[in-house]
Structure formats: C-alpha cells, structure tokens
C-alpha cells in the first residue's frame, strides 16, 4: 500500500467515525425529543422534580423508616438500602454454602459427592424466579401461624409471619450492643430478637441457595486448578487433609476463584431485583410503585439503571482490589 | 484432591475406609433414608393423581398431582384457544426438532440457516394463524411453553448477529467504534434484565408513531435481544482473543483482505472455541425468559399463575404446579448443559 493511499484510508476512517458519532448523537437526541413530546401530548410531566414531592405510599420494612408523607427521593433511598440489606447477607450465605458444597463435590466420599452434585444440578437448572415464587408460596401457605411457630434451633423460630433470630441489643438504651436478645415464644407469637419478614427471608434464602450452586462450581474449578503435585507435597510434609485444604489448596485456588466470584456477586446483586416479584420493597419495587402512581417511567428506570451501574462498579472495584491481594506476585 | 480410582471398589473404601468415613456414611444414609421416605410418602404413596379436587382436599400430607392432570393444558399453552392447542404443540415440536438437529456438529452446514428460517416462519404461522384456514390467534393469547422456547430461540437468533458486530467492534482499530461497543456492552451487563424489560414495556411505546401500538411481545423480544447480545458479545470476544495473532498476520501476508481474514479464518475458529460457552448462555437465556412474566407475558411461569391464580378450587395446590414447571425447565436446561459437556469433549478431540 502506498503512503498516499494509506493516508487517504486514515482520513476515510476518521470521516466514517465522525459520521458515526453524529448519527448516534442525532439518534439519541431524536429519541429523547420524541419521547418527551409524546409524554407532553399525553399530559405526563417529565423531569426529576417529583423526587421532592410526598410519595403517598409507605414502605413496610427496612432500616430506614418511611411513611407516605415523606418525599420520593427518600423512598428510593429506602429501596436502595433494602436492596443492600438483602444482597449482602445473601452473598455471605452463598459464599459459605457454595464453598462447602464445592469442596463436598470433590470429597473422597461417594454419598457426599452425590448429594452435593444433586444440589448443584437441581438449583442451577431451574429459573431463580420459579424458585423464589415457590419459596414465597411455601412460606405463606405451608408454615404454621405466628402463634404456633416451628423451633428450628434454640432461639430461632419460623412461622408464616417470618423468622425470629437472636440479635444484639443494648441493655442501657445506649448505641453499643451489650448482650444478645433471644426471641421468646408468647401466647401471641414470638417477641424479641430480630423479626425478619417472610418476604425478606424468601429473597435472602432464594438468592443464597441459587447463587451457592454457582459458587460451588467456581470453587470446584478453582480447587481442580491446583496441581496434584502441591497436594502430594503437602502429604509428604505430613499435613492432615484439612490442613492441606486450608494451607495449600484454598489459598492457591483463590487466584482462579476470585475473578469468577466477582462475576457471580455482580449477578447476585442484579438478581436481587427479582424481589419485586415476591413483594420485598427493594429499589426496583419502589420504582415500580412510583411508575404506577405518577407515570414517570423514564426517570424511574434511569434511576434503577444508574444505581445498579454504580453498585456494579463498586463491587468490581472492591473485588479487583481483593484480587490484586491474592494474585500471584513476582515470577509466574 | 480428586480420586483417580472410580467404580464400586473405590466406593467401598470411600464409604467404610476409616471410622470417620463410616460414621459419615451412616449419618448420610440416615439423612437420605429419612428424606427419601418423606419425599416418597408425600409425592407417591399419599398423593392423589386423579384430577379430583375433593380427593385432594380430603387427603393429608400428600401431593395433589391431580392439579397437573387437570390443568396441564393451560399451564403448557396459556390462554391459547383450547381447540386450537394442537398448533402450539406442533410449533414446539418443530422448533425442538430443528434445535436438536443443529445440536449435532455433523449437521453444521450452510443449509442449517434456510432450515431455521423455514422453521421460524412455520412457528409464527402456526401460532398466529390467519392463513391456510387457521383461526387468527393474537399474540396476547400466546403463552406457556411455546412462548418460553420461542422467546429464547428467537431472542438468541436475533441477538447473535448483533453480538458478532459488537464483539468485532470492541476489537476494532477505530477508537470511536471500540468505545461505543464497549460502552454498550458494559452498560447492558451492569443493569438487571428486569430494568431492560421495564424499559421495553414502558418506554418503547413512547417512541413509536402515535396510533400504532407495537405488540407487547415484540417490545419484550426487542428488550431481551438487546440484553442477550451484550452477553453473547463478550463470549465471542473471548473466542476472538483466543485465535493466535499469527494466523491473522499469515493470512495478511498471503494477501487476504481485512474482512476475508475475519470471515474465513478468525471467526470460524473463534466460534468453534466458544460453542460450549454459548450453550451455557442459551441455558441462561432460557431461564431468563421467566422474567417476562413480571411485565405481563404468560410464558410457563406466568401461565401457571393464570391457570391456578383465578381458580379457588385448585389454588391451594400451587406448590405441585410450581414443581411441575420447575421439572419442565429442569429437563430443558439440564439437557442443554449435558449437551454442552458432550460438545466440549467432542470439539476438544480434534484440537488435541
């Protein structure tokens, strides 16, 4: 190719790219204008000014008290906090359960391997939404009334009114917890401790059980990636199987596990949006209610997307920092 | 970690090899026996299999499979007119047959593309009707299994070319194209599918000219396609990266142009490499179609709500209904994932 021709090619590339940018911008502007025009013609106002108006609906649970007279932005904030309140415990349970099942899938015991494999294959191949709806139905219809709760463990009661667990409380009304408060069964149900609503239990349990199946596969792949020689070296040094796992295998497996685990945590966070289907008031549910009450679909969806993008970025950032810590340093 | 020895003899030492193992065996056997006994008692021994609501209500501690015997047609076909339900049944068989045929590497030939087009046309024709003496059935009455499979298959088919463009765009030498593709992929992968479906169902109607309302099915399909394309693009990009750069350089040295290199040398190898990952993505898409019930389409999950929600006689037996559709999903997804494992092994044979 002559130099002149290649220069002409470079010019052409820049012209095409400039046209592409213009086309994308023009398309975006047209879409926005057209949408706003249609909205105006239907008498729907647009813009984010509604965020300061009173919401007119209340949110039944969460760390942030919210009633109908408070503005929309607080409703979205309460929804976001509820999302985090569901996603974080679900992630912790999923990682613990998934790691145990992943190790169990490689255990030198055929029954244990079989049970763990069955768990993974069953939960991975049924849609999360179906599992959540099934759990929600079971919670509401198959459990006894709050007056006759089932005792799962000492201090842990389950009924169709939700789950009660021991929770730290402060004796002197101060901020710092001094002792554990244990739920107790009375004539009208369980009191004391932390009372978790059936919707919350459904979403946390459903998300954890489902994600644990994927975490188990990631952990299994990570363990298999550690070379057999390392295990033999561990045996030669006289380490017990538990020590081999803890000192030799898992730290090295982490290098393979962490990047996939990051993907899994991202998908768990996004999956928490399915809570809208079981009535847990998280972000998407709040947005859905808002669209129903004032028709600001564009703004509400923009908020959902922006918040999830931000959460994704935060998780990626945190996990990448962690990855840099566990990654192999020096020679490779 | 993994035991090399397999089979009954290895199992015996695994089960009873040491006191600890024997203890674990006894505990696990007791657990399995306890669980298995309760499952058998609930699911088979005490269960009612007849479509008899009286018997179901009278029975204690047993499953009412009668709900499936009574309601399987609305569960599988939604609100499709009852006498016409042979049409969605055949439509599902046609799509499944073509899918199974395409799953066999030996049939990966040029004629697969026209075959798919014919199959999809036949699917739409059977479902929609209005020609050849078939009664017209509007898409609002489509539902159940044909909708689940149809959405997944058509969504994937439409998403694939888009994904190919995005993947090539992300590796393009043109910074603008690269940035646009990368931003699109990262944006879509960062948000939940539900928000994309909300966008499709609430916002797309605002963009169409007044007076012409696009069908809700078309809107949801558009949303699903745009979403799936971003995930497929990343898989294809992985394949493109795995093709050694030397191949491109050799082809260029031999005088191939930029596009022929991609079309004839890089893409065939890249796609072959990512077939197992694509199969996993197919499983994911099939499961994701269940979310369209949130925006008011009655695929399997939605059809179940439709079949049981409005019927006080059978509503108490929702759990059995859920187990039934969970089993349908499971068979489809487990089959696909087994296929993926088989294919990985088969494709691997050639390269090693």
């Amino acid at each position: 190719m002559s130099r002149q021709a290649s220069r002409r090619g470079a010019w052409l590339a820049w012209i095409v790219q400039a046209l592409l940018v213009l086309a994308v911008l023009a398309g975006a502007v047209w879409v926005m204008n057209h949408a706003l025009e249609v909205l105006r013609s239907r008498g729907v106002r647009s813009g984010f000014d509604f965020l300061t108006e009173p919401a007119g609906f209340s949110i039944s649970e969460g760390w942030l008290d919210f009633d109908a007279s408070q503005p929309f932005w607080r409703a979205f904030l309460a929804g976001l906090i509820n999302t985090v309140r569901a996603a974080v415990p679900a992630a912790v349970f999923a990682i613990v359960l998934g790691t145990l099942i992943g190790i169990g899938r490689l255990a030198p015991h055929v029954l244990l391997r079989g049970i763990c494999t069955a768990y993974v294959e069953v939960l991975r191949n049924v849609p999360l939404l179906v599992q959540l709806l099934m759990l929600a139905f079971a919670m509401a219809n198959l459990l006894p009334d709050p007056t006759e709760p089932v005792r799962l463990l000492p201090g842990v009661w389950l009924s169709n009114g939700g789950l009660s667990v021991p929770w730290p409380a402060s004796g002197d009304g101060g901020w710092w917890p001094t002792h554990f408060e244990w739920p107790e069964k009375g004539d009208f149900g369980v009191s004391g401790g932390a009372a978790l609503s059936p919707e919350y239990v459904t979403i946390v349990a459903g998300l954890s059980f489902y994600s644990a199946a994927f975490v188990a596969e990631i952990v299994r792949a990570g363990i298999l990636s550690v070379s057999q020689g390392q295990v033999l070296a561990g045996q030669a040094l006289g380490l017990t199987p538990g020590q081999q796992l803890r000192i030799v295998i898992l730290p090295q497996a982490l290098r393979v596990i962490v990047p996939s685990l990051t993907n899994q945590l991202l998908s768990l966070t996004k999956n928490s949006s399915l809570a809208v289907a079981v009535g847990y008031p998280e972000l998407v549910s709040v947005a859905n209610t808002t669209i129903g009450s004032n028709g600001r679909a564009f703004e509400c969806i923009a908020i959902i997307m922006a918040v999830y993008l931000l959460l994704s970025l935060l998780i990626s950032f945190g996990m990448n920092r962690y990855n840099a810590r566990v990654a192999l340093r020096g020679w490779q | 970690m993994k035991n090399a020895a397999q089979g009954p003899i290895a199992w015996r030492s695994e089960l009873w090899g040491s006191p600890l193992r024997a203890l674990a065996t006894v505990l696990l056997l007791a657990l399995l026996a306890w669980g298995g006994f309760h499952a058998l008692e609930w699911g088979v021994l005490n269960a009612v299999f007849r479509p008899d609501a009286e018997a179901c209500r009278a029975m204690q501690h047993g499953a009412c499979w009668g709900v499936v015997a009574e309601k399987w047609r609305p569960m599988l076909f939604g609100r499709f007119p009852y006498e016409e339900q042979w049409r969605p049944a055949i439509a599902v068989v046609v799509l499944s047959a073509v899918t199974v045929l395409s799953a066999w590497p030996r049939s990966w030939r040029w004629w697969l593309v026209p075959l798919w087009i014919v199959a999809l046309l036949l699917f739409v024709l059977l479902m929609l009707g209005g020609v050849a003496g078939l009664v017209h059935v509007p898409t609002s009455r489509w539902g159940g299994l044909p909708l689940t499979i149809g959405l997944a298959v058509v969504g994937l088919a439409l998403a694939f070319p888009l994904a190919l463009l995005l993947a090539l765009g992300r590796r393009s030498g043109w910074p603008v194209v690269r940035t646009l593709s990368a931003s699109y992929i990262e944006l879509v992968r960062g948000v939940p599918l539900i928000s994309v479906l909300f966008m499709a169902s609430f916002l797309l109607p605002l963009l169409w000219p007044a007076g012409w309302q696009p069908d809700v099915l078309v809107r949801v399909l558009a949303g699903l396609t745009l979403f799936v394309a971003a995930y497929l693009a990343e898989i294809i990009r992985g394949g493109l990266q795995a093709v050694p750069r030397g191949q491109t350089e050799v082809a260029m040295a031999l005088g191939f142009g930029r596009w022929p290199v991609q079309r004839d040398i890089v893409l065939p190898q890249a796609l072959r490499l990512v077939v197992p990952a694509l199969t996993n993505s197919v499983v994911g898409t099939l499961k994701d179609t269940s979310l369209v019930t949130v925006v008011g389409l009655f695929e399997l999950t939605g059809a179940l709500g439709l079949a049981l929600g409005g019927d006080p006689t059978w509503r108490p037996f929702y759990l059995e209904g859920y187990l039934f559709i969970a089993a349908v999903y499971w068979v489809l997804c487990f089959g696909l994932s087994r296929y993926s494992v088989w294919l990985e092994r088969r494709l691997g044979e050639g390269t090693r």
Side-chain angles (χ1 to χ4, degrees):
Chain A
M1 218 189 278
S2 74
R3 180 189 271 189
Q4 205 175 5
S6 88
R7 195 175 300 156
R8 203 180 311 138
W11 271 106
L12 196 66
W14 280 112
I15 290 170
V16 172
Q17 293 191 63
L19 286 178
L20 197 64
V21 172
L22 279 181
V24 170
L25 279 180
V29 169
W30 180 83
V31 163
M32 287 290 285
N33 269 337
H34 186 72
L36 288 177
E37 205 173 300
V38 172
L39 281 174
R40 225 171 287 133
S41 72
R42 289 187 196 165
V44 180
R45 288 179 309 146
S46 57
F48 287 94
D49 54 312
F50 74 96
L51 284 175
T52 53
E53 293 165 12
F57 59 86
S58 56
I59 293 177
S60 53
E61 67 173 305
W63 286 330
L64 194 66
D65 290 328
F66 183 81
D67 67 61
S69 65
Q70 289 175 318
F72 277 109
W73 67 265
R74 254 185 85 92
F76 279 96
L77 185 64
L80 169 62
I81 291 175
N82 276 347
T83 295
V84 175
R85 177 174 173 255
V88 172
V92 173
F93 287 134
I95 290 174
V96 172
L97 186 62
T99 306
L100 292 178
I101 293 173
I103 293 171
R105 283 204 65 177
L106 295 169
H109 193 287
V110 63
L111 280 179
L112 189 58
R113 272 204 310 271
I115 291 173
C116 294
T117 305
Y119 177 94
V120 170
E121 292 297 355
V122 168
L123 272 86
R124 211 170 47 152
N125 288 315
V126 174
L128 174 59
L129 183 67
V130 174
Q131 298 186 26
L132 283 175
L133 292 172
M134 207 187 307
L135 256 179
F137 177 83
M139 287 287 296
N141 294 283
L142 304 182
L143 288 176
D145 285 332
T147 47
E148 295 159 1
V150 191
R151 205 178 90 157
L152 294 182
L153 293 167
V156 180
W157 301 87
L158 185 66
S159 72
N160 64 11
L163 184 73
S164 290
V165 291
W167 198 252
S170 60
D172 47 5
W175 194 77
W176 195 250
T178 52
H179 66 280
F180 266 95
E181 191 178 79
W182 291 77
E184 273 167 42
K185 182 175 173 284
D187 289 342
F188 305 103
V190 179
S191 60
L196 308 171
S197 76
E199 294 83 13
Y200 180 72
V201 175
T202 302
I203 186 68
V204 172
L207 269 181
S208 330
F209 293 155
Y210 181 75
S211 305
F214 292 86
V215 173
E217 282 301 271
I218 293 168
V219 169
R220 186 174 73 107
I223 291 176
L224 285 178
S225 76
V226 177
S227 70
Q228 194 71 30
Q230 299 271 346
V231 183
L232 293 176
Q235 280 170 3
L237 289 173
L239 300 179
T240 66
Q243 283 175 322
Q244 286 168 30
L245 193 65
R246 212 178 60 242
I247 305 172
V248 181
I249 297 171
L250 281 183
Q252 300 191 70
L254 268 184
R255 290 172 194 142
V256 174
I257 290 173
V258 170
S260 309
L261 193 63
T262 307
N263 277 341
Q264 202 46 52
L265 290 184
L266 289 172
S267 112
L268 183 146
T269 311
K270 283 180 280 169
N271 278 338
S272 72
S273 63
L274 286 186
V276 65
V278 293
Y280 175 67
E282 41 68 75
L283 183 72
V284 175
S285 167
V286 168
N288 203 20
T289 313
T290 307
I291 296 175
S293 77
N294 65 9
R296 303 280 182 94
F298 190 79
E299 292 81 357
C300 290
I301 295 169
I303 293 175
I304 301 180
M305 290 190 157
V307 169
Y308 274 97
L309 282 176
L310 198 70
L311 284 179
S312 298
L313 276 177
L314 281 175
I315 295 170
S316 293
F317 178 74
M319 289 299 283
N320 283 340
R321 292 285 296 271
Y322 180 61
N323 189 37
R325 271 184 53 192
V326 298
L328 209 54
R329 254 160 281 162
W331 60 276
Q332 199 164 359
Chain B
M1 211 40 211
K2 194 163 170 72
N3 280 47
Q6 298 273 324
I9 297 167
W11 286 356
R12 204 164 65 197
S13 93
E14 282 182 8
L15 290 175
W16 311 108
S18 72
L20 193 66
R21 285 183 184 181
L23 181 68
T25 305
V26 169
L27 284 177
L28 287 175
L29 275 180
L31 186 74
L32 281 178
W34 180 79
F37 171 72
H38 279 278
L40 192 72
E41 190 186 33
W42 181 80
V44 181
L45 299 179
N46 287 352
V48 174
F49 290 90
R50 287 163 293 134
D52 181 349
E54 287 299 315
C56 275
R57 241 163 313 175
M59 131 211 86
Q60 298 276 320
H61 310 299
C64 171
W65 300 117
V67 71
V68 178
E70 171 81 15
K71 294 282 187 182
W72 66 273
R73 284 182 66 161
M75 279 182 204
L76 286 184
F77 300 120
R79 296 195 303 148
F80 210 89
Y82 195 81
E83 318 76 53
E84 301 288 325
Q85 285 180 357
W86 58 272
R87 282 161 50 186
I90 295 181
V92 166
V93 170
V94 168
L95 266 197
S96 316
V98 182
T99 311
V100 169
L101 184 67
S102 330
W104 197 32
R106 249 185 233 167
S107 59
W108 294 351
R109 299 277 183 277
W110 64 270
W111 46 259
L112 216 50
V113 176
L115 187 69
W116 267 103
I117 294 173
V118 169
L120 288 175
L121 281 179
L122 204 59
F123 179 82
V124 174
L125 193 79
L126 277 167
M127 294 294 288
L128 202 57
V131 283
L134 296 175
V135 187
H136 173 71
V137 180
T139 54
S140 56
R141 299 201 61 174
W142 295 13
L145 191 60
L147 200 56
T148 294
I149 294 183
L151 274 173
V153 165
V154 179
L156 282 161
L158 293 176
F160 192 78
L162 184 59
L164 209 55
L165 286 179
L166 284 168
L168 289 174
R170 200 169 181 175
R171 287 167 54 85
S172 158
W174 294 3
V176 170
V177 175
R178 208 164 51 222
T179 316
L180 283 176
S181 310
S183 335
Y184 175 82
I185 292 170
E186 295 305 332
L187 182 80
V188 172
R189 277 160 40 95
V191 300
L193 173 57
I194 245 187
S195 65
V196 176
L197 289 178
F198 275 161
M199 197 165 75
S201 79
F202 289 125
L203 295 183
L204 282 187
L206 299 180
L207 302 178
W208 259 265
W212 184 60
Q213 270 299 338
D215 197 277
V216 66
L217 181 62
V218 175
R219 283 184 265 149
V220 163
L221 190 59
L224 192 69
T225 303
L226 292 175
F227 184 78
V228 173
Y231 284 80
L232 292 187
E234 281 300 90
I235 294 177
I236 296 172
R237 184 168 75 112
L240 291 174
Q241 284 178 351
V243 177
R245 269 197 72 85
Q247 302 241 353
T248 316
E249 281 156 12
V250 168
M252 298 280 241
L254 287 174
F256 276 78
R258 190 190 296 273
W259 287 105
V261 170
Q262 294 292 335
R263 198 188 59 221
D264 297 333
I265 293 169
V266 178
L267 271 180
Q269 296 186 61
L271 291 182
R272 196 168 259 264
L273 281 173
V274 296
V275 164
L278 287 177
T279 323
N280 286 339
S281 200
V282 173
V283 175
T285 308
L286 191 65
K287 284 191 293 175
D288 279 349
T289 55
S290 62
L291 266 63
V292 303
T293 181
V294 178
V295 292
L297 279 186
F298 302 110
E299 44 58 72
L300 271 179
T301 319
L304 173 70
L306 214 57
L308 297 188
D311 188 342
T313 321
W314 295 103
R315 208 177 331 178
F317 310 108
Y318 241 114
L319 191 70
E320 288 85 341
Y322 278 125
L323 286 173
F324 173 66
I325 62 159
V328 173
Y329 275 114
W330 189 82
V331 168
L332 294 174
C333 297
F334 185 72
L336 276 168
S337 68
R338 288 292 94 188
Y339 165 70
S340 163
V341 172
W342 172 80
L343 192 63
E344 196 161 0
R345 238 174 246 152
R346 191 187 153 122
L347 290 179
E349 274 168 15
T351 59
R352 248 150 243 161

